[in-house]
Amino acid sequence: TLLFSDSAVSAIAAARQRAEASGDAGKAASAARLLAAKQLVNQAIGDAISAILLVEAILLLRGWSIERWDAMYEDLPSRQAKLGVADRAALRVNEDETRTLEPAELQREIDALAAAHSRGRAFVRPSGTEDVVRVYAEAATQQAADELARKVGQATWRLAGGV
């Protein structure tokens, strides 16, 4: 789902007006496209049809084929796990759930563990439905992703009250 806050829409509209007033046609057109995107997507239900139409429009503007866009993505080997904790609320994460805020030392350890693996990336987040922490890891190989998930799970167990 793509959401546009009222303040974002106001800022985009104001930028469009400034660009038009200054004669910057490129910036005015960009702002107009963003405002049109808001009209295209269904913010209430996250309609997939309108989302793919937006993708089509962006690809057309960039002069890209669907094949070129698809070639940009490479699925890395990954591992997902869940870890029992005494209190999932003890783990606090940022808005998009990709960084651990509390306990602070946990994020530093996750960063170090991920950096030790080629193309390593990992994050943990509290489950929304049960007293567990979800562990996500990816790396260049399946063996590395599995090892990274295990080590991140161990760090989480130690620092966030595993049971």
Side-chain angles (χ1 to χ4, degrees):
T1 301
L2 180 61
L3 300 175
F4 291 83
S5 69
D6 291 340
S7 62
V9 173
S10 295
I12 295 166
R16 180 182 182 185
Q17 289 176 342
R18 284 191 306 276
E20 288 171 345
S22 69
D24 190 335
K27 285 185 179 177
S30 293
R33 287 180 185 130
L34 286 171
L35 293 170
K38 179 189 178 294
Q39 298 302 314
L40 176 63
V41 299
N42 185 331
Q43 297 183 80
I45 61 170
D47 179 45
I49 299 293
S50 64
I52 199 65
L53 287 173
L54 178 59
V55 169
E56 287 275 349
I58 293 168
L59 292 176
L60 180 67
L61 286 169
R62 296 187 65 93
W64 287 11
S65 67
I66 192 83
E67 292 81 14
R68 180 175 178 189
W69 180 53
D70 183 54
M72 292 176 61
Y73 178 76
E74 178 186 353
D75 199 15
L76 290 175
S78 64
R79 173 66 57 208
Q80 296 180 25
K82 64 182 183 177
L83 176 69
V85 292
D87 179 12
R88 69 178 182 237
L91 188 82
R92 203 167 55 83
V93 295
N94 67 348
E95 188 173 298
D96 68 2
E97 299 185 331
T98 58
R99 307 278 303 165
T100 303
L101 303 174
E102 295 290 332
E105 60 272 17
L106 179 56
Q107 187 59 55
R108 288 190 293 274
E109 192 154 339
I110 291 171
D111 289 342
L113 290 166
H117 291 81
S118 175
R119 301 184 75 188
R121 185 174 88 102
F123 61 94
V124 297
R125 67 169 186 81
S127 170
T129 57
E130 54 188 319
D131 268 335
V132 299
V133 170
R134 307 282 182 191
V135 177
Y136 299 88
E138 64 183 29
T141 67
Q142 188 63 59
Q143 180 180 359
D146 292 347
E147 179 181 325
L148 180 55
R150 181 179 50 78
K151 289 182 176 180
V152 167
Q154 289 170 340
T156 304
W157 175 276
R158 189 176 73 257
L159 297 170
V163 292

